[in-house]
DNA sequence: TCGAACCTTGACGGATCCTTGACGCCGCTT
DNA sequence: AAGCGGCGTCAAGGATCCGTCAAGGTTCGA
């Protein structure tokens, strides 16, 4: 179920939004001022936030900035002001969209669908993976129980693969993440380093079970 | 360098946007109609698209849908219409933002920064479908629970079909999306690859239930 | 200065995939 | 009944991609 946090100080607006969203099967949480909104977002991380700018106490822009310190949750700003500078300030503070009152409920819902459509970016940093007889710890850059020495480039490649377990990673994506823009064509790098990783980690490097290759597509880490 | 593709049929609007964006160090590509925009986006994938809705020929909404078949690039729609239904249609077609003319250049730039801020998702669009005993995951290019290996061309065809569930996709459209312009006559490709897909995914390849042929028309994915 | 570890680059055989043509089946038309 | 076009199937070739190896080139510390 998709959780939406609505922040507004006007009870009737809050209620109207809540009814409309719940009718569309969203789970709704509400807050009437900025600090309570931050508490609520921290306690139960929502999938999206609808935020009125004209809040008592903490300014709406400050709420966005505070949220953005630790969360990438999509934020749609509601505001009575239609001035361009207000929009610029809110968007640059970290808002994803800006809707001017009065607005159409259908438009707001469409914009909500639009920001929710983007891939949820709650991917954790680090993690660990089991390959053959080895357990690799990405955060600590260590391999247990038998210590195996990996080069920096090998670590970067392994990190990208392990952070998308079971999913295919395009050769282009891998080259982009590890070597940066401008190296998308050097697929031979990947061949060399994947061979090295398999030789060091796989039980049978000739028949890998975890660091798989998808011909023509890319590579995949299979847990 | 951040690449932005601007699509507008009015030369002066095109020029004004280009000058403003280039002054902010963006790399700008332009197109004056929908089909050229799609060609340009396929040849040099941009990091964001600014799209005028009132295009000659191909409708702006259709441009978004065609883009969304294979790309998740952020799209900001420009439009002279401020009606709520127009916004809803464009946003649900896959647009990320909707700006009504006349607009402030600073606001547009702020919205551009907002859509570019989200993690670079040059990954293909996701989605999943059930075919026979298999569940195909387009985002991860995986088939569960029994792993099935599909070739790159098979994935591209399946992506186009699954993105239009229940709807007919003409052979021409399929050839255009998968092989690009200039291959519209090679319908035998489709026969070969559809046969391969059915052999790998359908329970009874001789009597397909999900990857259907509409004689004389094209193909259809039936969920 | 030297050496070691690492990164780049090229070449080659083998595996995989794409393309192409041929053949037979089926439904429709003549 | 014969002809025709669209479709499914199959196999062979050519093109492309991948695994492997080895030889420089670079960086960094001893």
């Amino acid at each position: 179920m998709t959780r939406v946090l609505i922040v507004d100080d006007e009870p009737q607006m809050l209620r109207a939004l809540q009814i409309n969203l719940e009718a569309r099967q969203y789970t709704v949480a509400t807050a009437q001022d900025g600090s309570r909104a931050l508490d609520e977002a921290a306690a139960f991380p929502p999938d999206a936030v609808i935020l009125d700018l004209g809040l008592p106490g903490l300014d709406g822009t400050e709420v966005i900035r505070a949220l953005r310190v630790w969360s990438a949750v999509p934020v749609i700003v509601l505001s009575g002001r239609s001035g361009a500078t207000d929009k610029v300030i809110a968007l640059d503070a970290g808002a994803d969209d800006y809707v001017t009152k009065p607005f159409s409920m259908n438009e707001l819902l469409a914009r909500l669908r639009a920001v929710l459509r983007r891939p949820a970016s709650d991917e954790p940093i680090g993690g660990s993976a089991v390959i053959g007889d080895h357990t690799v710890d990405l955060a600590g850059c260590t391999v247990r129980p038998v210590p195996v020495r990996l080069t920096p480039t090998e670590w970067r490649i392994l990190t990208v693969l392990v952070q998308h377990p079971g999913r295919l990673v395009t050769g282009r994506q891998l080259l982009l993440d590890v070597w940066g823009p401008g190296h998308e064509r050097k697929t031979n790098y990947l061949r060399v380093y994947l061979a090295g990783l398999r030789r060091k980690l796989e039980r049978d490097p000739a028949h890998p079970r975890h660091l798989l290759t998808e011909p023509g597509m890319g590579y995949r880490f299979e847990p």
Side-chain angles (χ1 to χ4, degrees), chain A residues 165-176:
Chain A
R167 294 182 48 184
L168 179 118
V169 181
T170 284
R172 190 169 163 281
Q173 178 74 33
L174 218 38
L175 288 163
L176 214 57

Side-chain angles (χ1 to χ4, degrees), chain A residues 27-156:
Chain A
T27 302
V28 174
T30 59
Q32 299 212 21
D33 62 58
S35 61
R36 284 188 213 171
L38 291 173
D39 291 344
E40 173 70 21
F44 305 100
D47 299 299
V49 177
I50 297 177
L51 174 66
D52 186 77
L53 269 197
L55 290 175
L58 202 56
D59 181 22
T61 311
E62 291 306 316
V63 176
I64 301 175
R65 273 192 251 275
L67 258 180
R68 281 288 174 263
V69 172
W70 60 274
S71 171
V73 61
V75 174
I76 299 179
V77 164
L78 300 181
S79 171
R81 304 189 195 174
S82 59
T85 47
D86 295 306
K87 298 183 185 180
V88 172
I89 291 172
L91 290 167
D92 279 340
D96 293 85
D97 207 339
Y98 191 105
V99 180
T100 307
K101 297 181 193 176
F103 56 87
S104 139
M105 184 57 67
N106 282 332
E107 178 189 343
L108 179 65
L109 290 168
R111 288 185 185 271
L112 180 62
R113 286 193 293 274
V115 298
L116 285 171
R117 198 165 45 219
R118 69 182 211 190
S121 59
D122 51 358
E123 298 180 15
I125 307 277
S128 63
V130 178
I131 299 178
D133 303 320
H134 308 90
T135 300
V136 299
D137 176 18
L138 295 181
C141 288
T142 55
V143 178
R144 296 161 301 165
V146 186
V148 175
R149 176 175 202 69
L150 298 183
T151 74
T153 306
E154 286 170 344
W155 275 116
R156 283 201 288 271

Side-chain angles (χ1 to χ4, degrees), chain A residues 154-191:
Chain A
E154 286 170 344
W155 275 116
R156 283 201 288 271
I157 293 175
L158 199 56
T159 301
V160 177
L161 287 176
V162 170
Q163 285 192 344
H164 303 276
R167 294 182 48 184
L168 179 118
V169 181
T170 284
R172 190 169 163 281
Q173 178 74 33
L174 218 38
L175 288 163
L176 214 57
D177 285 353
V178 176
W179 279 272
H183 299 254
E184 292 91 340
R185 305 287 165 195
K186 307 183 177 178
T187 57
N188 45 335
Y189 290 14
L190 294 179
R191 299 205 294 272

